[in-house]
Amino acid sequence: MKQVIKNPILTGFNPDPSIIRVGNDYFIATSTFEWFPGVQIHHSKDLVNWRLIGHVLTKKSQLDMTGMDNSEGVYAPTLSYSNGKFWLCFSNVHACRGGNWMATPCYLVTADNIEGPWSEPIAIGSYGFDPSMFHDDDGKKYILNMIWDGRAQTNFFGGIVLQEFDPTSNQLIGKPKNIFKGTELGCTEGPQILKKDGYYYLVTAEGGTARDHAVTVCRSKKIWGPYEVHPDNPILTSRFQEHAPLARAGHGFFVDTQHGEWYLTHLCSRRIPNPEGYQFIPKYDNGYSILGRETAIQKVHWQNNWPYVTTGKTPVLKVEAPNLPPCPWPKTIGIDNFTDTKLSLEYQTLNQPFDNSWGSLSEKPGKLRLKGRHYLSSRYQQSLIARRFKSFYATAETKLEFSPETPLEMAGLCAYYARNGYYFLKLSASDDGKTEIQIVGNINDNYIEFTSPTTINPNEGVWMRLDLKKQWYHFSYSLDGIQWHTIGEPLNSTPLSDEGGPDIFRFTGSFAALFVADISGQLKHADFDYFSYQDNEKTQS
C-alpha cells in the first residue's frame, strides 16, 4: 500500500522549517526562540517518518540568551549543504518589545556532520531576522535577509537584502542590495533562494505569522533581479479559509527527492476555541494554537517554470508520499528514569544550558536533581527542564522528593508557555514549616492561586500528574503512586497559546516542565525519580 504523509509531520512547537536533502537523507531545522539548546534538527528518509537527532547551538559561546524575554532568541534558522559540509544561518533576536527598532544579530555556523559539533558563530550582519545562505553553482555564496525598518509606523518590513559572502575570510563583501520589496501581503520575511532550470526562485514568507500568513514565490534569470512575482501568488496560504484544519500556513521552502518529486515544507497551527466568557486573555475569533506552530509538508508540481501546490493553495492533512522505501524509526520510550549521564534530546531549558551549577544527573544516580533559583516569572535563572506537548491529548507524570522548610522553597510540575503564561502544581511549605501542595499560575501578568494550600505528609515523596485534554489541563497527585487525588478544577488551555498573550510577540508552544525555585538563594534542591510523557491522541474519538 502506498504511503501517505500525515500532517503535521513535526507536531508541537516546531516552526519555520528549513528543509534540505543530502543524498538519501532529509533534514529539517526549526526555530527554538528562548529555549536552549538552539535549533532542533529532525531527520527522515521517506518524508513520512521523522525523528529528532539533535540541536545545533549547544554551548553558551554559540548562543548567549541571558535575560531573553518570551519569544526572543533564535528566529527562523536556515539549513544548507555545500562543499561537503552543513551550513546554518540564524538570528539571535533581542529587544522585540519597547520601541520600533529591534536588535537582530545574525550568525553562521558550520559542521561536517549534521549531528555536530558545530562551529563557533560567524557574524553575518544585523539587517533583520531570518538570514539564509545561497550557494550558487559558480562557487559564489550569498547571504539573504529581511530588513527591519524601525522608522515605519505600521509595517516594519523593508524588503529583502542580498550580499555576497566570502567563505575564505568569512566576511560579507561588496554592497548589499534590496532585491525585493515584497507584495501587497506585507511582512516580507524568511527569504531563501532555489536555483532551477536557469531561474533563481526567491521564496519568502508574507502576511505575518497569524491567519494571513502565506508563501510567496518570485523568480529572476539573475540573482540580483529584477524578480517577477508568481502569477498566482501566494502559492500557499490558509487566509480566508476559517475552517482549514491547518491554519496560519506560511514560511516554506522546497525540496526534491532522488526521483525528481517536489515538496514544500511550511509552518502551520491547529487551533481550538476559547470557552465562552473566559477572562484574562484576548478574544480571538480564529482560535488558539496551544501546541504552537508546527511543521507540515505539501506536494508540488512545476508548470511553465512556476511551482504550484498540487492539491491547491490551502494546505491539506494527507499528502501523497514520494516514491521512496518506507523508513519508520524505532518508537521512543515514554518514560525517562534519569539513568543516562546527560539529558535526553527531548528536553530544553530556558535561556541557558543545563549545567552542574543548577542541575545534575550524577549527584544522586538515577534521579534528576534540580537546585532552586529564580521563580517562574524571571528572565534569568530558572531551574527548569521541559518537553513539548505534541498532542491535544497527553499525560506528563513525575515523582518528586523534596523537603521544603519555608514558602521560599518550591518545586513541582508545570504546564508552561511563557513566564506570564503557566500553571504550576507546587510543593512548598507554610510559614510554620508544614508541607503544602497548591496550584498557582500566571495568566498575562495576573498571578492567580487556583487552589488553597493543602497540607500533606509525603513519606516517600509526591507523585504528580498533568493531563492535557485539548481544552483543559487537569492536575492530580498521589502519596503512594497508586491512589491519585484530583486537585483543583480543570484549567483552560488557551491562555497557554500563541494567541493567548497581550501582544503579538508569542511564537513558541506549550511544554510540560519540571521546576524548582529557592527565592532565598540557598539552592535548595529537589530530586525527580522519573519524567514520563505519553501522547493519548489515538485513544480519543
Side-chain angles (χ1 to χ4, degrees):
M1 181 179 295
K2 189 171 178 59
Q3 288 196 104
V4 173
I5 300 173
K6 296 180 180 179
N7 281 319
I9 54 172
L10 305 182
T11 57
F13 162 43
N14 275 292
D16 308 321
S18 175
I19 190 168
I20 61 169
R21 177 174 64 86
V22 180
N24 297 327
D25 296 286
Y26 299 83
F27 303 102
I28 290 178
T30 53
S31 298
T32 43
F33 293 87
E34 74 265 34
W35 291 93
F36 200 98
V39 184
Q40 295 212 121
I41 300 290
H42 284 82
H43 173 222
S44 177
K45 284 184 172 292
D46 58 8
L47 295 182
V48 177
N49 301 285
W50 294 85
R51 61 173 179 166
L52 178 66
I53 60 170
H55 298 83
V56 173
L57 308 171
T58 59
K59 300 180 292 185
K60 193 171 183 179
S61 60
Q62 295 172 316
L63 179 62
D64 188 350
M65 296 191 294
T66 303
M68 290 288 188
D69 208 344
N70 303 328
S71 297
E72 296 183 341
V74 178
Y75 280 33
T78 51
L79 189 61
S80 58
Y81 184 80
S82 179
N83 308 109
K85 64 181 178 180
F86 295 90
W87 309 68
L88 185 129
C89 298
F90 70 97
S91 50
N92 185 13
V93 176
H94 305 51
C96 65
R97 294 167 174 80
N100 291 354
W101 291 100
M102 296 170 64
T104 58
C106 297
Y107 302 97
L108 167 70
V109 291
T110 62
D112 295 327
N113 188 304
I114 189 70
E115 297 183 47
W118 290 80
S119 69
E120 292 299 307
I122 299 164
I124 51 172
S126 300
Y127 297 106
F129 42 83
D130 298 4
S132 70
M133 173 171 276
F134 173 67
H135 311 267
D136 210 342
D137 47 24
D138 62 1
K140 290 186 177 181
K141 300 184 186 298
Y142 300 85
I143 296 293
L144 293 107
N145 213 337
M146 55 79 67
I147 299 173
W148 182 269
D149 189 345
R151 299 170 300 173
Q153 297 301 310
T154 53
N155 184 356
F156 296 101
F157 294 79
I160 303 302
V161 67
L162 178 73
Q163 191 169 4
E164 192 174 348
F165 178 82
D166 178 10
T168 303
S169 63
N170 286 329
Q171 291 182 334
L172 294 165
I173 58 175
K175 293 184 178 181
K177 180 181 178 181
N178 193 325
I179 61 170
F180 182 55
K181 293 290 189 179
T183 72
E184 68 280 359
L185 296 177
C187 298
T188 308
E189 56 185 338
Q192 297 181 73
I193 283 181
L194 165 73
K195 192 174 186 181
K196 181 180 183 296
D197 298 333
Y199 282 102
Y200 295 91
Y201 293 89
L202 175 62
V203 185
T204 58
E206 291 198 294
T209 192
R211 59 185 177 187
D212 293 334
H213 210 26
V215 176
T216 286
V217 176
C218 53
R219 73 182 185 189
S220 174
K221 286 285 189 178
K222 299 179 180 179
I223 192 168
W224 297 102
Y227 283 86
E228 60 174 322
V229 178
H230 194 294
D232 196 22
N233 192 65
I235 68 164
L236 181 79
T237 186
S238 303
R239 64 178 188 150
F240 309 133
Q241 303 295 323
E242 302 305 330
H243 300 292
L246 299 177
R248 304 169 65 186
H251 202 118
F253 198 60
F254 300 101
V255 68
D256 63 334
T257 71
Q258 303 92 303
H259 306 302
E261 297 175 273
W262 283 86
Y263 288 83
L264 170 74
T265 55
H266 62 94
L267 68 77
C268 63
S269 77
R270 294 175 288 167
R271 306 162 301 177
I272 67 172
N274 192 49
E276 188 68 30
Y278 185 81
Q279 298 176 330
F280 300 122
I281 64 173
K283 179 176 172 55
Y284 193 77
D285 293 335
N286 293 86
Y288 297 76
S289 309
I290 67 169
L291 300 179
R293 296 171 301 160
E294 304 173 297
T295 288
I297 192 168
Q298 309 295 327
K299 192 162 189 180
V300 168
H301 65 273
W302 293 82
Q303 183 177 332
N304 298 324
N305 289 317
W306 286 111
Y308 290 83
V309 177
T310 301
T311 53
K313 291 190 178 189
T314 305
V316 296
L317 289 171
K318 293 184 178 181
V319 175
E320 180 184 342
N323 182 27
L324 296 172
C327 185
W329 304 111
K331 291 185 178 180
T332 56
I333 299 174
I335 184 169
D336 185 353
N337 290 307
F338 300 122
T339 55
D340 204 343
T341 57
K342 59 181 180 180
L343 285 178
S344 165
L345 291 177
E346 295 286 350
Y347 297 125
Q348 289 199 275
T349 57
L350 282 167
N351 295 46
Q352 57 186 286
F354 178 82
D355 64 40
N356 289 333
S357 69
W358 62 274
S360 174
L361 288 162
S362 60
E363 287 187 19
K364 194 170 184 181
K367 299 183 189 297
L368 170 69
R369 173 164 290 181
L370 297 181
K371 301 171 184 178
R373 299 181 298 167
H374 293 187
Y375 187 60
L376 285 163
S377 56
S378 173
R379 290 187 289 115
Y380 292 88
Q381 298 179 12
Q382 293 183 341
S383 298
L384 175 148
I385 71 161
R387 56 170 301 154
R388 288 158 175 76
F389 278 106
K390 296 183 176 182
S391 165
F392 287 120
Y393 297 89
T395 298
E397 185 181 303
T398 190
K399 181 190 175 187
L400 168 65
E401 296 176 8
F402 184 51
S403 302
E405 299 177 76
T406 78
L408 303 180
E409 301 165 352
M410 60 196 83
L413 179 63
C414 304
Y416 185 94
Y417 183 99
R419 64 185 184 88
N420 60 349
Y422 60 82
Y423 300 120
F424 179 23
L425 179 57
K426 177 181 69 169
L427 193 68
S428 188
S430 62
D431 288 323
D432 58 4
K434 294 181 179 179
T435 302
E436 297 178 334
I437 193 167
Q438 181 184 19
I439 300 176
V440 298
N442 190 310
I443 304 301
N444 294 333
D445 299 313
N446 295 285
Y447 176 79
I448 304 169
E449 294 188 349
F450 291 99
T451 66
S452 299
T454 299
T455 300
I456 59 173
N457 185 22
N459 294 320
E460 301 178 35
V462 178
W463 286 257
M464 294 182 169
R465 182 180 291 164
L466 170 60
D467 289 296
L468 171 59
K469 297 181 180 179
K470 200 167 186 177
Q471 190 74 69
W472 306 102
Y473 288 108
H474 303 254
F475 281 104
S476 54
Y477 72 95
S478 173
L479 299 180
D480 58 10
I482 300 172
Q483 183 178 2
W484 287 85
H485 308 279
T486 298
I487 180 169
E489 298 295 323
L491 300 166
N492 184 14
S493 64
T494 53
L496 277 57
S497 69
D498 294 1
E499 300 85 359
D503 54 44
I504 63 170
F505 294 110
R506 286 173 59 138
F507 303 136
T508 55
S510 56
F511 286 74
L514 307 180
F515 174 69
V516 183
D518 184 353
I519 310 304
S520 72
Q522 301 304 304
L523 298 176
K524 180 81 170 188
H525 72 262
D527 293 322
F528 296 89
D529 282 21
Y530 65 91
F531 193 13
S532 69
Y533 174 87
Q534 180 67 49
D535 285 328
N536 303 323
E537 198 82 47
K538 292 182 180 179
T539 67
Q540 306 303 313
S541 58

